[in-house]
């Protein structure tokens, strides 16, 4: 690969990223000492790999493939870039649509069946499903939410979208959040 300069071709085709031996060998030694029957070590662009290898969408790979890989990477990046230019209502609506797709993977349903203004508890979400949804949300948006925030103040996708929007926009623009402005703090 390195000798023939094929790294870019491999990454573009499969999503696998070249990784240096000094990174792989320590990881391999940990896996080998754990006594695993089957193991693999890779670095990759999971969204691209998932498009090339549809089997990665199977439930057995759910814990290995990051949540944002469920959506095409260009959609994720495009959404995150475009939020700052949207009106707040449009941004919240766009975030709620992405959240519906993430929640649909947890519930194993069609995102179109999820009403953004319906309480999440009405979908029968238990604590494990809620935790899974929070992990997917954190991976996709790079924003942490607590389980309490998930279920309080309405507990709807729209409410969660508002929370995420409030946390994303200050990160992207460097402006103060209402909390830091009220406290006299600086978000930078």
């Amino acid at each position: 690969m390195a000798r023939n300069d094929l790294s870019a071709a491999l990454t573009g085709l499969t999503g696998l990223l070249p990784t240096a031996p000094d990174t792989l060998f320590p990881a391999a030694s940990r896996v080998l000492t754990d006594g695993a029957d089957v193991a693999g070590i890779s670095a990759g662009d999971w969204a691209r790999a998932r498009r090339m290898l549809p089997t990665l969408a199977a439930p057995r790979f759910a814990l290995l493939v990051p949540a944002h890989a469920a959506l095409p990477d260009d959609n994720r990046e495009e959404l995150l870039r475009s939020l700052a230019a949207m009106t707040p209502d449009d941004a919240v609506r766009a975030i709620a649509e992405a959240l519906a797709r993430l929640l649909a993977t947890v519930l194993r349903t069609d995102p179109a069946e999820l009403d953004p203004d319906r309480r999440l508890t009405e979908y029968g979400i238990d604590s494990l499903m809620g935790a899974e949804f929070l992990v997917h949300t954190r991976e996709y948006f790079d924003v942490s939410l607590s389980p309490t925030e998930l279920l309080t103040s309405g507990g709807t996708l729209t409410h969660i979208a508002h929370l995420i929007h409030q946390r994303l926009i200050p990160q992207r623009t460097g402006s103060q959040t209402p909390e830091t402005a009220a406290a006299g703090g600086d978000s930078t």
Side-chain angles (χ1 to χ4, degrees):
M1 294 285 303
R3 184 175 351 137
N4 295 316
D5 196 26
L6 297 174
S7 299
L10 180 66
T11 299
L13 180 64
T14 65
L16 295 174
L17 300 174
T19 307
D22 61 339
T23 301
L24 291 177
F25 288 143
S29 100
R30 283 191 305 273
V31 168
L32 292 172
T33 59
D34 285 344
D37 292 332
V38 178
I41 301 168
S42 70
D45 176 343
W46 283 103
R48 178 163 292 154
R50 188 168 175 173
R51 286 193 302 271
M52 294 301 297
L53 303 167
T55 304
L56 290 175
R60 68 176 164 224
F61 294 110
L63 295 176
L64 299 175
V65 179
H68 63 77
L71 305 174
D73 53 355
D74 52 340
N75 285 351
R76 175 182 184 262
E77 293 305 317
E78 179 60 30
L79 171 65
L80 294 177
R81 272 193 306 273
S82 65
L83 287 176
M86 292 181 183
T87 66
D89 289 341
D90 287 343
V92 167
R93 205 171 3 267
I95 293 168
E97 288 172 8
L99 288 171
R101 291 189 299 269
L102 295 173
L103 182 59
T105 63
V106 173
L107 296 174
R108 312 272 189 259
T109 191
D110 181 358
E113 295 179 14
L114 301 176
D115 177 357
D117 296 314
R118 185 174 175 193
R119 293 183 56 82
L120 298 183
T121 54
E122 294 177 24
Y123 291 114
I125 293 178
D126 61 19
S127 60
L128 292 176
M129 290 173 160
E132 184 180 353
F133 177 60
L134 285 174
V135 167
H136 291 329
T137 301
R138 182 178 56 241
E139 289 174 349
Y140 188 81
F141 289 103
D142 195 25
V143 169
S144 292
L145 298 171
S146 72
T148 305
E149 289 175 310
L150 185 66
L151 299 174
T152 59
S153 300
T156 66
L157 291 176
T158 300
H159 168 72
I160 296 165
H162 278 285
L163 293 173
I164 290 171
H165 182 252
Q166 289 171 352
R167 293 177 186 164
L168 276 179
I169 297 305
Q171 289 177 8
R172 298 194 153 312
T173 63
S175 63
Q176 290 185 338
T177 64
E179 294 83 10
T180 57
D186 187 15
S187 64
T188 58

